[in-house]
Amino acid sequence: MAARTAPLQRLETSRPADRQRGLGIALLVISATLFSSAGLFTKGVAADAWSILFWRGLAAAAGTLAYIALRGQLLSEWRRMGRAGWAVAVIGAIGSAAYIPALKITSIANVTLIYAAVPLLAAAFAWVSIGERPSRRVGLCCLLAFLGVLVIVQGSLGQVVLTGDLLALVMTASLAAIMVIYRCYPETPAALPAVFMSLFLLPPALLLTDPVAATGGEIGLMAAFGLVFALAAVTLAEGARRIAAAEAGLLSALETPLAPLWAWLLLAELPPQATWIGGSLVMAAVLWAQLPNRRRD
């Protein structure tokens, strides 16, 4: 009898883990889709980068705090912040401070394609910090995604602004580090660090620019950007804690083909042919990483 029930027990035990992994995948796809709209908000206003950081941060902090309060988890998240939570807030603030200026300086395609290096950096950080080695398949998918980046960068060599690309690389490294932190410390809250991530940037924004000088319409657009960013940050953190860092990076790389697509459809920013080829390679890498797991389901 014990021999007959053992497979059933293993199946019942695996189901919660499968559900958690499936939820993690869904959350990361939502996060990548939301993050892919950042270029539209940034390019859609004439305000400078620090004005965007101010109004986006203010709205993101307010929206996230409201989310925490409605769930009655403010005290709980504060108690669970710990060093990991504060590290996420600081690293996330640095990444945000690099991300918006990068979008202002260089093209949406360049920023998002450099961002596609997230899976490689996340896998490397996780391997060094916690000894989490990616599977051979995920490793090959990371290399395929990186090949896509090389194709697009090669096609945009004459248009790259070095400062913007370096800022995009800083943002990419910060996001990879955050993914690994949540993988190492899954009890770290998702929402409250995002609040401080935004609040940390308000004082320097007030020192470096005059946010009130923006028009009312642009302020509203930047505030909407903040609410979208808040939702994207929370879904990223909740998803990253449920699956391996390298795979989380691959799913987040879905932003890479999506952002240039939105820029083309809504801003008439037509990427070169290399962008479409490289973006297709990134998308293929993400799908390849997921197909074997779906077959097991």
Side-chain angles (χ1 to χ4, degrees), residues 57-141:
L58 195 62
T64 308
L65 276 175
Y67 164 78
I68 302 173
L70 286 174
R71 295 185 64 188
Q73 295 184 345
L74 184 58
L75 184 59
S76 171
E77 292 222 354
W78 175 258
R79 288 172 176 170
R80 292 186 292 118
M81 274 289 288
R83 293 181 179 179
W86 291 111
V88 168
V90 171
I91 295 171
I94 294 171
S96 293
Y99 184 39
I100 300 303
L103 285 170
K104 281 289 188 182
I105 295 171
T106 189
S107 70
I108 294 173
N110 281 343
V111 173
T112 53
L113 291 167
I114 291 171
Y115 170 80
V118 162
L120 290 172
L121 288 176
F125 290 169
W127 191 357
V128 171
S129 60
I130 59 175
E132 182 180 270
R133 298 186 61 177
S135 67
R136 180 177 298 179
R137 186 185 71 254
V138 171
L140 290 173
C141 290

Side-chain angles (χ1 to χ4, degrees), residues 23-80:
L23 177 59
I25 291 171
L27 288 170
L28 286 167
V29 169
I30 293 171
S31 175
T33 304
L34 293 173
F35 273 127
S36 70
S37 67
L40 300 179
F41 284 105
T42 305
K43 299 280 191 180
V45 297
D48 62 273
W50 280 102
S51 292
I52 296 173
L53 285 167
F54 179 85
W55 291 113
R56 187 195 73 161
L58 195 62
T64 308
L65 276 175
Y67 164 78
I68 302 173
L70 286 174
R71 295 185 64 188
Q73 295 184 345
L74 184 58
L75 184 59
S76 171
E77 292 222 354
W78 175 258
R79 288 172 176 170
R80 292 186 292 118

Side-chain angles (χ1 to χ4, degrees), residues 42-292:
T42 305
K43 299 280 191 180
V45 297
D48 62 273
W50 280 102
S51 292
I52 296 173
L53 285 167
F54 179 85
W55 291 113
R56 187 195 73 161
L58 195 62
T64 308
L65 276 175
Y67 164 78
I68 302 173
L70 286 174
R71 295 185 64 188
Q73 295 184 345
L74 184 58
L75 184 59
S76 171
E77 292 222 354
W78 175 258
R79 288 172 176 170
R80 292 186 292 118
M81 274 289 288
R83 293 181 179 179
W86 291 111
V88 168
V90 171
I91 295 171
I94 294 171
S96 293
Y99 184 39
I100 300 303
L103 285 170
K104 281 289 188 182
I105 295 171
T106 189
S107 70
I108 294 173
N110 281 343
V111 173
T112 53
L113 291 167
I114 291 171
Y115 170 80
V118 162
L120 290 172
L121 288 176
F125 290 169
W127 191 357
V128 171
S129 60
I130 59 175
E132 182 180 270
R133 298 186 61 177
S135 67
R136 180 177 298 179
R137 186 185 71 254
V138 171
L140 290 173
C141 290
C142 289
L143 291 176
L144 181 59
F146 184 64
L147 176 61
V149 175
L150 291 180
V151 169
I152 299 178
V153 170
Q154 186 275 334
S156 305
L157 284 178
Q159 306 170 14
V160 172
V161 178
L162 181 59
T163 301
D165 288 350
L166 290 176
L167 288 171
L169 185 58
V170 170
M171 176 272 297
T172 301
S174 70
L175 188 54
I178 288 173
M179 287 181 176
V180 176
I181 289 172
Y182 275 109
R183 186 63 175 171
C184 294
Y185 305 98
E187 72 283 355
T188 303
L192 198 55
V195 171
F196 286 106
M197 186 186 306
S198 297
L199 293 179
F200 286 162
L201 294 176
L202 299 186
L206 288 172
L207 290 174
L208 295 171
T209 191
D210 181 14
V212 184
T215 65
E218 289 203 338
I219 290 175
L221 192 59
M222 290 184 282
F225 183 17
L227 296 177
V228 170
F229 173 79
L231 181 58
V234 171
T235 51
L236 170 67
E238 292 290 351
R241 75 171 79 237
R242 290 173 167 84
I243 63 176
E247 191 175 6
L250 278 170
L251 286 166
S252 296
L254 280 170
E255 178 186 345
T256 303
L258 287 176
L261 178 61
W262 305 144
W264 172 53
L265 292 174
L266 301 177
L267 298 178
E269 186 178 287
L270 183 62
Q273 184 180 13
T275 298
W276 297 110
I277 297 173
S280 299
L281 290 175
V282 173
M283 182 71 76
V286 175
L287 294 176
W288 184 22
Q290 297 306 315
L291 284 176

